[in-house]
Amino acid sequence: MDTLTLSVYHEYGDLKTAAELLHDLRTGTQKGPTKVSFHPAGALPEETVHTVLTHLPKNCAGITLSTLTPCINTPGSIEQFERWCSWLPAHVTLLDLNALMHYSVSHALQCQIIQALPKTLNQIILRNNHLGYHRTAEELRELFAPLDGVHIFDLRDNHVHEVLWSEAIAPKPFLPSTCTTVSLDLSPYSLVCGRYLLSTLPPKTHTLCLSNACALQALVAHIPPTVTTLKLISVDKEPWILPSTMTTLDLSGCLLHSEFTFHGLPPHITTVLLANLAYAFRTAQQWLTLIHSIPATVTYVNLQGNSLFRGRTPSARDQLLRALQPVNPQGRLDLRHTGEDDWVRAALPLIHGVEQKIIPNLDCAYHIATFLGAHSQTVFQRV
């Protein structure tokens, strides 16, 4: 899902009207499903919020509601939140409530907030909401009980592991039973609670998202066999001690250090997701070192959104494409949105097709590339 942050002010300082905001939303969500945030948070009057929420474009599939309402800390602000939730259309399936609740909000008021959430939600982000602050495991179960039906659940940065000591010997599930993707914190200093969290994952969980890999080595044996995808938000070192049931490693959005490699990656990992990496990799050689280190047992590598080709000369792009060709059999590398148009993504298979005589000659390859938007023949020289 794409993301869009919308300014609620004009350049000259006046608030935008509901009509202007809806126009910006329609324009900004044209490409497909988008999660929308508003900046600055809490600046819009309730009348404008009502008009915007009740007329959200169909492609606005997610919304960071905590950017529309101030931090909830009073019964009055909860009543406002309940009204705003009631205005959300059914096509909004993702709700981001990051840092919505003040640490002083009682358990009863937290339950009231959760009860107000639409039943049509598929994904909920509850990060930074003090949900583990002076709570018991039983209170967490009561809090999350209304969320059955949610599939993607982000519970990071809530100190949940701190409330689970009392049940660590005989743990009971507390997350929504319908969850398939769960984001948690596993602390290397609370391994008992980490084992608790992993042992109580819902039975349908196939994707586990962790803030970091620090506790992974100590807890890897406790990851349920249903989990086939591991997503890491940050990586300090190569986390190659992974369960044999795991097939996908997702490092999308990570800030990897420039010497990071995939040497030693277990052969049971067949998919590596590296979309939108933070800018640790700048030079072509750094990218090549990273990509060439991915074992041949990995059959799909997602590199979408990285600036592999952006800002390079045509000859530098050609050189990079040729260097990637040996590790890109049958389109193994997903190079969409890497700084060039469709013809760049087609260049490697076109070159391969000419060399294998699947495409009769360079003229045919050039005409195909031209149709896709190429403006020079340099990529097909010296084939």
Side-chain angles (χ1 to χ4, degrees):
M1 186 179 294
D2 291 331
T3 58
L4 171 68
T5 300
L6 204 63
S7 174
V8 302
Y9 285 103
H10 290 290
E11 292 182 6
Y12 43 84
D14 290 346
L15 274 174
K16 294 179 180 177
T17 65
E20 291 169 328
L21 290 169
L22 287 169
H23 175 268
D24 292 345
L25 284 169
R26 285 189 291 270
T27 302
T29 60
Q30 287 179 348
K31 292 182 179 180
T34 304
K35 185 180 87 165
V36 178
S37 301
F38 297 87
H39 179 77
L44 293 174
E46 185 160 353
E47 182 180 353
T48 301
V49 172
H50 176 264
T51 304
V52 169
L53 292 184
T54 54
H55 294 84
L56 285 172
K58 291 292 184 182
N59 276 345
C60 184
I63 187 166
T64 306
L65 202 59
S66 49
T67 61
L68 282 175
T69 181
C71 182
I72 293 178
N73 57 4
T74 65
S77 57
I78 292 177
E79 291 173 4
Q80 181 192 65
F81 177 78
E82 289 174 326
R83 287 195 301 275
W84 292 13
C85 283
S86 70
W87 298 337
L88 290 169
H91 65 262
V92 174
T93 58
L94 184 164
L95 209 56
D96 188 340
L97 305 176
N98 182 34
L100 178 74
M101 305 180 209
H102 192 264
Y103 75 90
S104 62
V105 172
S106 68
H107 170 66
L109 292 182
Q110 285 179 341
C111 289
Q112 189 176 341
I113 292 168
I114 296 298
Q115 288 279 3
L117 299 179
K119 304 305 180 186
T120 53
L121 295 178
N122 176 64
Q123 180 174 355
I124 297 178
I125 299 172
L126 277 170
R127 293 185 64 189
N128 296 299
N129 276 295
H130 311 282
L131 299 181
Y133 190 71
H134 297 319
R135 297 288 182 264
T136 66
E138 190 56 43
E139 285 176 325
L140 287 182
R141 272 190 286 278
E142 180 186 1
L143 180 65
F144 299 141
L147 297 181
D148 260 5
V150 171
H151 294 97
I152 304 173
F153 195 47
D154 190 341
L155 200 55
R156 287 174 292 148
D157 304 316
N158 279 293
H159 302 283
V160 170
H161 60 276
E162 296 178 4
V163 306
L164 304 178
W165 285 98
S166 60
E167 292 188 352
I169 296 176
K172 302 174 185 176
F174 69 96
L175 294 170
S177 62
T178 51
C179 285
T180 58
T181 298
V182 178
S183 300
L184 295 169
D185 297 313
L186 294 180
S187 170
Y189 308 107
S190 303
L191 296 180
V192 172
C193 292
R195 290 196 292 271
Y196 174 100
L197 283 169
L198 292 174
S199 69
T200 58
L201 287 177
K204 296 180 181 179
T205 303
H206 57 66
T207 299
L208 178 63
C209 176
L210 302 177
S211 297
N212 57 66
C214 294
L216 193 59
Q217 183 172 349
L219 294 171
V220 67
H222 300 277
I223 296 176
T226 57
V227 175
T228 57
T229 298
L230 175 66
K231 177 173 175 55
L232 296 174
I233 303 301
S234 66
V235 180
D236 298 322
K237 59 181 180 179
E238 292 77 352
W240 302 153
I241 300 177
L242 302 171
S244 59
T245 53
M246 203 166 282
T247 59
T248 299
L249 179 64
D250 187 352
L251 302 182
S252 298
C254 274
L255 175 60
L256 305 179
H257 60 78
S258 58
E259 297 180 0
F260 185 94
T261 70
F262 287 91
H263 294 305
L265 188 70
H268 52 81
I269 299 296
T270 57
T271 297
V272 172
L273 308 180
L274 299 172
N276 301 299
L277 290 178
Y279 291 112
F281 298 89
R282 296 180 181 274
T283 69
Q285 187 54 53
Q286 286 174 330
W287 279 111
L288 288 172
T289 300
L290 177 73
I291 295 169
H292 277 263
S293 74
I294 301 173
T297 48
V298 176
T299 56
Y300 175 71
V301 182
N302 187 332
L303 290 161
Q304 290 188 46
N306 293 299
S307 300
L308 272 77
F309 301 101
R310 190 173 292 117
R312 305 194 192 281
T313 64
S315 61
R317 291 196 296 266
D318 295 351
Q319 186 177 0
L320 181 54
L321 282 167
R322 290 177 181 281
L324 291 174
Q325 187 179 354
V327 293
N328 192 39
Q330 299 177 336
R332 173 180 180 247
L333 304 180
D334 190 336
L335 298 172
R336 286 176 288 174
H337 313 298
T338 52
E340 287 293 353
D341 297 322
D342 288 345
W343 70 272
V344 170
R345 302 202 302 274
L348 284 174
L350 285 173
I351 291 172
H352 179 73
V354 172
E355 291 178 337
Q356 300 298 316
K357 302 192 182 305
I358 299 170
I359 298 174
N361 51 53
L362 287 177
D363 284 341
C364 289
Y366 175 61
H367 282 300
I368 294 171
T370 301
F371 177 78
L372 294 173
H375 300 295
S376 82
Q377 261 183 302
T378 59
V379 73
F380 301 113
Q381 293 173 0
R382 302 182 308 279
V383 174

